[in-house]
Amino acid sequence: MMYDAISSLFTDKGKSEDKAEAMFKRYSIDTAKKYGEGGYGATFPAIDNETKEAMAVKVIDTRRMKLESILKECTMLECLNHPNVIKIKDHGLGRKATGQDHLYYIFMELASGGELFDQVRGCFVGFRCGRRMSATGVCPTIQKREQRAHRDASDSHCYLTSAMPFFIQL
C-alpha cells in the first residue's frame, strides 16, 4: 500500500499534479495564521470549501523529512478509526506550477481546544507533570488498543477538542 503511494508519486506525474490541483481547489489555507511550527514544517488553519468545515493543515518540507516517512505516517493514520485520534481528510504534494512540489500537505480534523500540555502546565506545584502524565498514561492506552505507536507521544502532541468535557486527540 505504501509502496504504491510512493511509486505513484514518481511514475504518474500528470496524475500527481492533477491531484494537487484538485486538493487545492477543495481546501483553502490561511497562511497568515500559524497554529504551530516544528523542525519539519508548520500547521495552519484550513477550510474545506465543499463542506465549509474548519480544519488544520500540516505542511511538511520534504527536503527536511523523507517523503517515505511522511507517507508511512499518513498511511498509518488513515487506518486508525478511534474517536481520540485526529482523522486525516486528504494529503498530497504541493503544486509544481507554484513551486510547492517540495511541500507535503496533510489536511486533518481541527482540534480547537489547544494542547494538553497547556492545560496541565502548573497543575502540580513542584512537579514536572505534563510530559510524564500523558506519555505514560493516555497516549500508550490508545496506541495499545489500536496496536500502533506514535513516534513521539507526549502531551505536546495530544490536542483537546473545544467540546465539554474535553476529549484528548492524538
Side-chain angles (χ1 to χ4, degrees), residues 4 24 37-38 44-45 61 63 72 79 88 95 97-98 107 111 137 142 145 155 157 163 166-167:
D4 294 337
F24 287 101
E37 189 170 13
F44 300 93
D61 190 334
R63 297 172 299 189
K72 186 176 182 180
C79 294
I88 289 182
R95 296 174 285 203
T98 59
F107 293 90
I142 294 169
R145 179 172 176 235
D155 55 346
H157 293 116
F166 290 121
F167 289 100

Side-chain angles (χ1 to χ4, degrees), residues 58 71-81 85-88 106 108 148 150 170:
K58 186 190 291 189
L71 289 171
K72 186 176 182 180
E73 179 178 340
C74 290
T75 301
M76 182 186 76
L77 288 172
E78 285 176 322
C79 294
L80 294 176
N81 185 16
V85 176
I86 294 174
K87 291 173 183 46
I88 289 182
I106 306 172
M108 61 191 92
R148 303 271 195 267
H150 187 287
L170 298 175

Side-chain angles (χ1 to χ4, degrees), residues 8-73:
S8 70
L9 289 172
F10 298 106
T11 58
D12 301 332
K13 292 289 186 191
K15 287 182 185 177
S16 181
E17 193 64 22
D18 291 345
K19 181 183 178 351
E21 286 299 326
M23 191 169 61
F24 287 101
K25 184 179 276 189
R26 176 152 188 184
Y27 304 102
S28 298
I29 303 171
D30 180 2
T31 56
K33 181 179 179 187
K34 193 182 297 184
Y35 287 141
E37 189 170 13
Y40 299 110
T43 305
F44 300 93
I47 295 284
D48 182 327
N49 295 321
E50 291 180 13
T51 66
K52 304 303 179 205
E53 177 186 6
M55 306 176 77
V57 60
K58 186 190 291 189
V59 182
I60 303 170
D61 190 334
T62 60
R63 297 172 299 189
R64 293 175 175 243
M65 183 179 217
K66 291 180 183 177
L67 183 58
E68 182 179 352
S69 297
I70 299 167
L71 289 171
K72 186 176 182 180
E73 179 178 340

Side-chain angles (χ1 to χ4, degrees), residues 98-110:
T98 59
Q100 299 171 327
D101 57 331
H102 66 285
L103 299 175
Y104 201 86
Y105 295 82
I106 306 172
F107 293 90
M108 61 191 92
E109 283 182 310
L110 177 62

